[in-house]
Amino acid sequence: MVAKLLNGKQLAEKIRNDLAEKAASLSARVGRPPGLAAILVGEDSASQLYVSKKHQACQEAGFHSELIQLSASISQDEILKKVRDLNRAATIDGILVQLPLPKGMDENAVLETVAPEKDVDGFHPQNLGKLMAGQAGFVAATPKGVMRLLQEYGVKIAGKHVVIVGRSTIVGKPLALLMLQADATVTVCHSKTKNLKEFTKQADILVAAVGKAGLITADHVKDGAVVVDVGTSRVGTKLKGDVDFDSVKQTASWITPVPGGVGPMTIAMLLENTFDAYVTKNKL
Ligand code: NAP
């Protein structure tokens, strides 16, 4: 079997175009477009790249986009003040704080300061709690993007065994909750899991969210499984996933590429969350 591609790039483009159209028509009514502010602290080159991609995507969709770059030497109080200013800003519907923050800063304190109704990254404890309780709230863009990608390609989730490798608050844990809500049976693996292969081999849907290039090879994967690769690592000049694409595509039924899979979906979902915040705020 040669796997079919879960083409996140193509789907994300469609979602972004739809959002651009909707934003253009509503902007005239509201008197302004949806607005996203991104806070970037320090000089981390990967973070700079991610933030600039999000900023560009906003601009292409006709959203208002503010990129706030702060020096790594800024104090925690100054960041909190900036977040509070954005909480009050009338032109801003969504706020994202690019992680990781420089060492020594209290990420939780910063994330908790973002107003929950502007928390389009879904990292505020209130939104995480709503996800846990199965209530409506902002869901982190990457796990939301994984779910949308599978849904749009008609991959059935109910009753399936989903194995997620990685248990971060950004990807693995929220994805496990979303999969449970979609009636999957979920196993979550992590760095202390013994005999990883024994678990991944059982997966109908396998999601890798680790950040170790090529960790998942063909002998981790059951024939016909759906494989979603969230991981991204720089190897030389190339971006590599956690999945060894060339070997795994021979046994899987569906597979995401890296790049062009989950990454573009993350950006599309961030825009969608921002648009939703705008709609709610303006009672549209
Ligand atoms: P993270 O916070 O570092 O979490 C990594 C997870 O992988 C942890 O739960 C860790 O276990 C687990 N792990 C590490 N080594 C392992 C191993 N050998 N076997 C099994 N599990 C192992 O990372 P993250 O923020 O979730 O991101 C994960 C990856 O996704 C990264 O490559 C990141 O760049 C990428 N990412 C991509 C997107 C996108 O849009 N494409 C978005 C977000 C993240 P412990 O908990 O035991 O430490």
Side-chain angles (χ1 to χ4, degrees):
M1 176 181 289
V2 176
K4 287 176 277 182
L5 216 57
L6 292 162
N7 190 331
K9 185 165 182 269
Q10 207 171 57
L11 176 59
E13 237 168 67
K14 182 182 171 304
I15 294 168
R16 283 165 53 178
N17 288 340
D18 289 350
L19 287 170
E21 264 179 42
K22 288 196 253 178
S25 76
L26 289 178
S27 294
R29 235 163 92 191
V30 175
R32 67 169 184 88
L36 176 71
I39 298 181
L40 173 64
V41 187
E43 308 282 320
D44 180 74
S45 59
S47 292
Q48 281 173 336
L49 181 68
Y50 297 143
V51 167
S52 75
K53 279 188 175 173
K54 292 167 187 173
H55 184 56
Q56 192 188 343
C58 272
Q59 290 181 322
E60 283 170 11
F63 288 19
H64 167 66
S65 177
E66 282 182 33
L67 179 49
I68 294 131
Q69 289 184 280
L70 303 171
S71 149
S73 62
I74 194 168
S75 72
Q76 171 105 2
D77 282 349
E78 283 171 291
I79 300 180
L80 296 183
K81 181 182 176 310
K82 191 72 227 172
V83 173
R84 287 191 194 102
D85 289 347
L86 292 169
N87 285 344
R88 285 188 295 269
T91 55
I92 296 300
D93 303 289
I95 301 168
L96 80 84
V97 180
Q98 186 65 43
L99 302 178
L101 290 173
K103 282 201 175 62
M105 284 187 184
D106 181 350
E107 275 183 4
N108 286 337
V110 177
L111 296 177
E112 282 168 22
T113 304
V114 174
E117 65 277 13
K118 293 194 178 186
D119 172 41
V120 288
D121 258 342
F123 297 159
H124 190 286
Q126 189 170 309
N127 283 315
L128 290 169
K130 283 184 171 177
L131 177 62
M132 171 72 93
Q135 296 172 14
F138 286 114
V139 173
T142 303
K144 187 178 175 187
V146 170
M147 298 305 286
R148 181 68 61 79
L149 191 56
L150 295 174
Q151 277 152 11
E152 292 286 331
Y153 275 90
V155 174
K156 298 271 179 295
I157 293 171
K160 296 289 166 63
H161 184 190
V162 175
V163 177
I164 301 169
V165 190
R167 58 172 167 180
S168 71
T169 311
I170 292 173
V171 188
K173 281 185 202 161
L175 185 61
L177 292 169
L178 291 170
M179 289 291 186
L180 279 175
Q181 276 171 21
D183 293 332
T185 301
V186 182
T187 301
V188 181
C189 303
H190 45 80
S191 70
K192 309 292 186 296
T193 299
K194 293 194 175 114
N195 301 322
L196 182 67
K197 251 182 234 180
E198 272 178 27
F199 295 95
T200 59
K201 269 280 200 190
Q202 294 176 34
D204 301 311
I205 301 174
L206 175 61
V207 183
V210 174
K212 290 206 156 81
L215 175 75
I216 304 296
T217 56
D219 55 345
H220 288 80
V221 180
K222 178 168 83 174
D223 273 357
V226 175
V227 179
V228 177
D229 192 354
V230 179
T232 51
S233 313
R234 285 260 153 224
V235 179
T237 56
K238 292 210 163 137
L239 197 64
K240 292 278 184 193
D242 290 341
V243 175
D244 177 30
F245 184 86
D246 289 334
S247 69
V248 173
K249 79 170 182 216
Q250 305 300 332
T251 44
S253 57
W254 290 96
I255 190 167
T256 58
V258 175
V262 175
M265 289 302 296
T266 296
I267 294 182
M269 294 299 101
L270 177 69
L271 262 58
E272 188 175 272
N273 282 351
T274 304
F275 182 80
D276 289 348
Y278 168 79
V279 166
T280 305
K281 188 174 175 196
N282 292 290
K283 301 185 175 61
L284 296 168

